């Protein structure tokens, strides 16, 4: 167990429906509910940190594993609403709920991937190529120019977070990836997802070429 997981602290929690935050990912927020305005005003006077948990509308409960966020910028609007930009920092596991009013506060422990001596460079190259194949096929299928950003991480763990955070309309899959504690397993699962997507897009592109 990584040493960082031994640190335990209380943090305010922000459950968000169908949203999974990953370390390094940006999260823009529009705060309008009274309880969350209280929460954000409180954290802005402190370390500017809070926890994000995916809220499942079906079970009416938040996930137990989430990601801490740090507020980078905040703007108060005339009617007390707030606009904020935050960034994902470190993952955590909720050990217990300390209180629920006026907003949720949890006792959490920090978690991280297990350290590994494995050389994951081949797997990183595979995932990177699959990603580029998917983007190329998407551009061809939609007849739109799609470009990958220049700052895609090259380190295995950071790349696995980046891929996971950019999956579209797949909150349950993202939550499963967030909960994994092994970088290799996360990248392997992402390779499977990207392969399936690439094959699907390739079939659609071939069909489009036949009809054009």
């Amino acid at each position: 167990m990584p040493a960082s997981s031994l640190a335990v602290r209380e943090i305010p929690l922000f459950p968000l429906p169908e949203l999974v935050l990953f370390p390094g990912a940006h999260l823009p927020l529009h705060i309008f509910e009274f309880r969350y305005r209280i929460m954000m005003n409180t954290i802005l006077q402190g370390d500017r940190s809070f926890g994000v948990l995916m809220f499942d509308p079906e079970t009416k409960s938040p996930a137990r594993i989430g990601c801490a966020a740090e507020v980078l910028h905040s703007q108060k609007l005339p009617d007390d609403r707030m606009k904020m930009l935050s960034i994902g920092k470190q993952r955590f596991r909720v050990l217990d709920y300390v209180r629920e009013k006026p907003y949720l506060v949890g006792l959490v422990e920090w978690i991280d991937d297990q350290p590994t001596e494995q050389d994951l460079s081949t797997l990183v190259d595979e995932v990177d190529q699959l990603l580029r194949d998917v983007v190329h096929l998407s551009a061809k299928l939609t007849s739109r120019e799609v470009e990958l950003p220049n700052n895609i991480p090259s380190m295995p763990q950071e790349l696995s977070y980046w891929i996971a955070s950019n999956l579209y309309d797949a909150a349950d899959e993202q939550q499963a990836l967030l909960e994994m504690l092994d970088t290799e397993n996360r990248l392997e699962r992402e390779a499977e997802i990207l392969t399936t997507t690439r094959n699907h897009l390739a079939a659609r592109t071939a069909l489009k070429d036949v009809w054009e």
Side-chain angles (χ1 to χ4, degrees):
M1 185 69 70
S4 61
S5 69
L6 301 177
V8 174
R9 62 167 288 190
E10 291 181 12
I11 59 171
L13 299 172
F14 197 170
L16 290 167
E18 303 295 301
L19 190 144
V20 182
L21 180 65
F22 286 86
H26 286 96
L27 175 64
L29 291 170
H30 179 196
I31 309 297
F32 54 89
E33 277 191 62
F34 181 66
R35 56 180 167 165
Y36 293 123
R37 281 185 284 163
I38 294 174
M39 183 177 89
M40 291 305 176
N41 279 313
T42 301
I43 69 167
L44 286 174
Q45 295 169 16
D47 64 2
R48 304 173 71 88
S49 297
F50 61 101
V52 175
L53 293 171
M54 185 185 79
F55 184 81
D56 188 335
E58 292 186 7
T59 62
K60 305 292 184 187
S61 62
R64 301 293 291 196
I65 290 180
C67 182
E70 180 183 346
V71 177
L72 298 176
H73 306 290
S74 63
Q75 176 189 5
K76 290 192 177 182
L77 303 176
D79 55 1
D80 284 339
R81 288 179 297 121
M82 305 171 77
K83 285 187 176 179
M84 311 186 100
L85 177 63
S86 57
I87 186 170
K89 301 299 282 185
Q90 187 171 0
R91 292 176 296 160
F92 63 83
R93 179 185 292 108
V94 177
L95 301 175
D96 198 6
Y97 294 113
V98 179
R99 72 166 193 262
E100 296 185 5
K101 303 292 184 182
Y103 51 82
L104 200 58
V105 176
L107 182 68
V108 308
E109 64 174 350
W110 303 118
I111 58 175
D112 201 353
D113 283 0
Q114 301 286 354
T116 178
E117 300 297 325
Q118 293 272 88
D119 181 2
L120 301 181
S121 57
T122 301
L123 183 54
V124 165
D125 290 344
E126 178 189 353
V127 169
D128 182 77
Q129 187 57 55
L130 284 167
L131 176 65
R132 294 177 192 283
D133 290 347
V134 166
V135 169
H136 171 73
L137 289 167
S138 297
K140 189 174 180 181
L141 188 63
T142 59
S143 301
R144 293 178 182 174
E145 192 168 326
V146 183
E147 291 187 5
L148 284 168
N150 295 321
N151 60 345
I152 296 177
S154 58
M155 299 300 290
Q157 186 176 25
E158 287 75 11
L159 176 63
S160 74
Y161 290 152
W162 192 91
I163 297 284
S165 68
N166 284 279
L167 294 179
Y168 178 71
D169 197 23
D172 288 340
E173 185 70 71
Q174 288 179 306
Q175 183 63 34
L177 291 167
L178 184 77
E179 294 182 7
M180 287 183 179
L181 298 179
D182 186 293
T183 305
E184 184 177 12
N185 288 347
R186 190 181 301 107
L187 284 169
E188 286 176 343
R189 176 58 188 146
E190 289 165 350
E192 292 174 1
I193 295 168
L194 289 170
T195 299
T196 300
T197 304
R198 181 194 62 185
N199 294 346
H200 176 69
L201 289 173
R204 289 181 62 190
T205 302
L207 190 60
K208 180 186 178 186
D209 289 343
V210 168
W211 288 102
E212 288 185 350

